[in-house]
Amino acid sequence: MPALTMEQVLTLDAHQVYTVEPKRTLFTLERIRKEFFQEELGELMQGITEASSKAAAISHLSKKYAQFIAMQFYMLTAYDEIWDGNERDLQFDVTEVNGVFTVCMFANPNDWRYVQEGDRASVMKWVLWKQCYEIIQALRNTTSISPKVLWDNLFVQLTITYAKLLEDPMLADRAMDDLEMLESAEVGSIFTDHSLYLDYTKGRAPQDLVGQPIRKSCCLSKDIPGVGECGYCPLAN
């Protein structure tokens, strides 16, 4: 597996996906799947964020995790690489950002692998199924929260990521190809009868959606002290 370049490490760092060993590990991606841990996870995140509800705390966690997922698609487009580590090695720890406590992720820099051109669709399906759908189902077990909230959290990050990729003249063509693949029935309908991401964007360009109130649900950030207003909320004035 390829070791990451400094440029790749800095890109991941900017999205709070770090490639060093954490000082401690609160939990791992593998642990999120464990039924015995899921109720504890809601309480843990509520304590970290001081959210007024478990739902708001879990939504916040999913927004942070969505940054890791978005980085999967970024790395695929920009470097033909994907994370291929064990879920016990994707670690979460508490951190403080602008005076607000949150969580960040730690991944081994050697856990990325190259993706062959003919494997891109199958890799996208794998990420959507194993890392998105199954983890969202696990997070829903922690408290009463709509799946729309969790999927919207992911799609906002994907939209921001593809908007950046499409603005880069060196990556725009590859980004458009990957975006069309993600929105295709072949890839996007792996666990439903249509592409959920295409349903979210309605085929509009990511650049036209950034900062617009196109969510179908509120992310509940209003229920977490110190967290800024979400620019995508359907409840925005």
Side-chain angles (χ1 to χ4, degrees), residues 12 15 17 29 63-73 83 90 105 107 112 131:
L12 292 171
H15 293 82
V17 179
L29 185 60
K63 291 174 78 171
K64 307 303 292 188
Y65 178 63
Q67 292 181 311
F68 171 71
I69 297 298
M71 284 296 95
Q72 296 273 53
F73 287 90
W83 181 79
L90 183 64
M105 291 145 288
W112 269 259
Q131 296 182 17

Side-chain angles (χ1 to χ4, degrees), residues 42-223:
E43 296 173 352
L44 176 62
M45 286 306 305
Q46 191 171 9
I48 291 172
T49 61
E50 299 183 350
S52 61
S53 68
K54 285 185 183 179
I58 290 300
S59 175
H60 180 77
L61 171 60
S62 76
K63 291 174 78 171
K64 307 303 292 188
Y65 178 63
Q67 292 181 311
F68 171 71
I69 297 298
M71 284 296 95
Q72 296 273 53
F73 287 90
Y74 179 90
M75 295 283 282
L76 181 62
T77 294
Y79 303 106
D80 297 318
E81 292 183 21
I82 199 75
W83 181 79
D84 195 30
N86 192 295
E87 290 188 354
R88 72 173 67 95
D89 294 328
L90 183 64
Q91 303 171 77
F92 294 76
D93 193 14
V94 67
T95 186
E96 187 176 356
V97 179
N98 298 324
V100 177
F101 285 102
T102 182
V103 292
C104 54
M105 291 145 288
F106 295 81
N108 189 311
N110 295 314
D111 282 347
W112 269 259
R113 68 171 175 85
Y114 287 117
V115 176
Q116 299 297 323
E117 185 63 31
D119 295 335
R120 299 179 83 83
S122 61
V123 163
M124 285 188 179
K125 289 180 183 180
W126 181 80
V127 171
L128 288 172
W129 179 260
K130 301 298 292 185
Q131 296 182 17
C132 298
Y133 175 77
E134 289 187 358
I135 298 302
I136 283 176
Q137 292 300 101
L139 292 177
R140 291 183 63 198
N141 290 335
T142 66
T143 188
S144 177
I145 186 169
S146 168
K148 287 184 179 180
V149 174
L150 303 176
W151 281 111
D152 279 2
N153 290 345
L154 170 61
F155 293 155
V156 165
Q157 288 298 324
L158 283 178
T159 299
I160 293 171
T161 296
Y162 275 113
K164 291 179 179 178
L165 287 166
L166 289 165
E167 289 173 353
D168 187 331
M170 299 295 293
L171 298 174
D173 288 344
R174 175 56 65 90
M176 181 58 68
D177 290 343
D178 284 349
L179 179 60
E180 290 178 351
M181 191 177 298
L182 176 62
E183 293 181 336
S184 70
E186 177 192 1
V187 171
S189 61
I190 185 171
F191 43 79
T192 184
D193 60 358
H194 61 284
S195 168
L196 293 181
Y197 187 62
L198 180 59
D199 186 49
Y200 176 79
T201 65
K202 305 300 183 186
R204 291 170 289 179
Q207 305 94 306
D208 297 335
L209 302 178
V210 173
Q212 300 300 312
I214 58 171
R215 293 181 62 105
K216 296 179 174 62
S217 62
C218 174
C219 72
L220 307 176
S221 62
K222 59 183 178 57
D223 297 328

